[in-house]
Amino acid sequence: TTETAKQKLLSTLALTKKLFLVDLTRASMFRSLPRTLLSRRLFARRALSTTNPVATFKTSMGTFKAEIFEDQMPITSANFIDLAETGFYEGLHFHRVIPSFMLQFGCPNSKDPKSQMCGTGGPEAGSKFQSGDKTIVREGGTIPDEFEAKISNMPGTLSMANTGRPNSGGSQFFINTAPNKYLDFFDPSTPSKHPVFGKVIEGMETVSAIESVPTAYDNPIEPVKMIKITIETSE
C-alpha cells in the first residue's frame, strides 16, 4: 500500500541520517588528532617505523615519547640528546604552561619550581657536544640557530625557545599544544623564529594533562617534574 511504502521510505531516510551522523563522528575523531585513541595508535605505528632517535619523557604526571628529527635538524637534535643523556634535564620542572598554546621546559633554574629565575637559564657556557663529526661549543651557553628544515610549529611538536636574538637557544624548548605557525622561522608575518626539532609520537594524553594543570602566572601551582629523559636509537 501507499502507506506501507511511505513508512519504508521514512525508515530508509532515518537509517541514512543515522549512518551519516556516525560518519561525522568518525571524521570528528580523526580531525581531533592527536588527542584520541586512534591518533595514539597512529603515532605508535610511526614510532615503531622511525629511524630517528626516540626520547622517552618520564614525568611526575606520566610518560610520553617524541621522535627527534636528527635527520633534518642534526645540531639542535644533538644538543638535546647530549643534555638528556648527561642527566641535565633530570629533576627540572615545567616552568611555563599556557593552555591552547604550549608547555615550556628545560631551564636549570627550575629545579626550584618557584624560583623567579625560571626561564632564564641554560647549559654551561663553553660546554661541548658532538653533531656527527663536528664538535659544537655552546658559546655563552647557547647553540647556533638551525634554520634549515621548514617544519611548522603544530600541535605536539618540540620547538626551541630563545630570547628573540640570533643564536640564543640553549636547553629550553616547548611543546606546542595548538597550531602556532606564526612562530615558524620561515613565516615572514612575525619576527619569531623557533625551529622545530621533534614531535610527540606517543602519550599525547600526558601532554594534555600537563597543559590542563592549574597555574599562577603561567607556572603550575602543583609542580610538574621531569624524572628522566632516555634516548633510544635504531642502532
Side-chain angles (χ1 to χ4, degrees):
T1 65
T2 302
E3 187 63 29
T4 301
K6 183 178 179 181
Q7 289 177 350
K8 287 183 178 180
L9 177 60
L10 290 173
S11 297
T12 301
L13 290 173
L15 179 59
T16 301
K17 181 178 180 181
K18 183 178 180 181
L19 291 173
F20 179 68
L21 290 173
V22 169
D23 285 340
L24 282 179
T25 302
R26 288 173 178 167
S28 176
M29 288 173 61
F30 191 77
R31 285 197 303 271
S32 66
L33 291 174
R35 299 189 180 189
T36 64
L37 178 60
L38 173 63
S39 69
R40 292 196 292 272
R41 288 174 177 171
L42 290 174
F43 274 34
R45 289 194 195 107
R46 183 181 176 189
L48 293 173
S49 64
T50 183
T51 57
N52 277 324
V54 173
T56 299
F57 298 76
K58 183 179 180 183
T59 81
S60 56
M61 290 188 65
T63 299
F64 62 93
K65 294 185 177 185
E67 177 185 352
I68 306 303
F69 299 149
E70 186 178 51
D71 57 343
Q72 301 179 77
M73 299 288 287
I75 294 175
T76 309
S77 296
N79 173 66
F80 167 78
I81 291 170
D82 175 72
L83 294 171
E85 291 186 330
T86 56
F88 180 91
Y89 290 124
E90 293 178 19
L92 304 187
H93 297 80
F94 286 86
H95 65 271
R96 191 173 176 223
V97 172
I98 304 177
S100 300
F101 181 32
M102 61 88 204
L103 321 176
Q104 191 166 336
F105 173 79
C107 177
N109 297 321
S110 69
K111 281 199 172 181
D112 175 1
K114 302 303 178 183
S115 170
Q116 293 186 354
M117 297 300 290
C118 285
T120 65
E124 182 181 354
S127 57
K128 303 176 182 179
F129 63 97
Q130 289 296 127
S131 177
D133 59 356
K134 297 179 181 178
T135 299
I136 309 295
V137 180
R138 298 184 181 99
E139 302 287 355
T142 62
I143 66 172
D145 289 328
E146 195 169 25
F147 297 147
E148 299 294 337
K150 293 184 177 180
I151 309 169
S152 189
N153 282 268
M154 299 304 286
T157 54
L158 279 61
S159 189
M160 286 299 292
N162 57 50
T163 65
R165 297 191 304 272
N167 305 313
S168 59
S171 59
Q172 295 187 50
F173 62 94
F174 55 92
I175 304 172
N176 288 290
T177 59
N180 295 320
K181 295 190 292 183
Y182 62 92
L183 298 179
D184 297 342
F185 70 85
F186 49 91
D187 182 344
S189 66
T190 71
S192 298
K193 297 181 182 296
H194 297 278
V196 169
F197 66 96
K199 185 173 184 178
V200 176
I201 56 174
E202 184 178 315
M204 194 64 188
E205 67 275 13
T206 298
V207 174
S208 298
I210 297 172
E211 180 189 20
S212 301
V213 299
T215 61
Y217 304 103
D218 298 333
N219 184 260
I221 294 173
E222 183 69 28
V224 182
K225 185 177 182 178
M226 186 65 67
I227 299 169
K228 191 175 183 64
I229 301 177
T230 56
I231 306 295
E232 304 169 58
T233 64
S234 58
E235 298 177 355

